[in-house]
Amino acid sequence: MAVMFALYPTKEVVIVGERKRNDTQQMIKVIHNTFLPHVVSILNTTGEEYEALTKMIPFIKEQKEVDVTIEQLFMYVKTLHVRHLFQIKKNL
């Protein structure tokens, strides 16, 4: 895994929403159920978690919630997966 992070570009996916909301849970499932070794996912939520997270990852302060459907997220994740596979093939 460390070699992949060193050799290939990575992406960050930030999910902004309340942890217990159904749509947030569905988006987390989409990310976790897809093999994306080059993607780092973060849940940007509120309260104490938000305060601790912004200390570790300051750039998430700029993240705002936008309306994205589960289907749009799924297609984006699949695009990331396909691009990653093409990048690996190109380097072989």
Side-chain angles (χ1 to χ4, degrees):
M1 191 66 103
V3 172
M4 283 183 64
F5 275 100
L7 296 177
Y8 302 105
T10 59
K11 293 283 183 184
E12 295 85 23
V13 175
V14 179
I15 298 173
V16 180
E18 295 297 324
R19 180 182 296 279
K20 294 182 181 182
R21 277 183 29 193
N22 187 44
D23 58 341
T24 303
Q25 288 297 316
Q26 288 178 342
M27 290 188 184
I28 292 169
K29 268 188 194 172
V30 167
I31 299 292
H32 288 180
N33 289 341
T34 308
F35 180 67
L36 298 166
H38 63 294
V39 172
V40 176
S41 61
I42 303 165
L43 174 61
N44 186 353
T45 188
T46 58
E48 289 180 21
E49 290 178 300
Y50 175 79
E51 297 303 322
L53 200 56
T54 56
K55 288 178 184 172
M56 290 185 289
I57 312 166
F59 80 85
I60 65 163
K61 287 181 183 179
E62 308 301 320
Q63 302 295 319
K64 303 293 181 213
E65 191 169 358
V66 294
D67 289 327
V68 176
T69 66
I70 299 300
E71 292 79 17
Q72 289 170 322
L73 177 64
F74 182 74
M75 292 306 296
Y76 177 70
V77 167
K78 289 297 180 187
T79 301
L80 290 175
H81 182 67
V82 169
R83 283 186 195 158
H84 180 69
L85 292 177
F86 280 124
Q87 183 71 33
I88 290 173
K89 256 184 142 171
K90 189 173 106 177
N91 290 336
L92 291 179

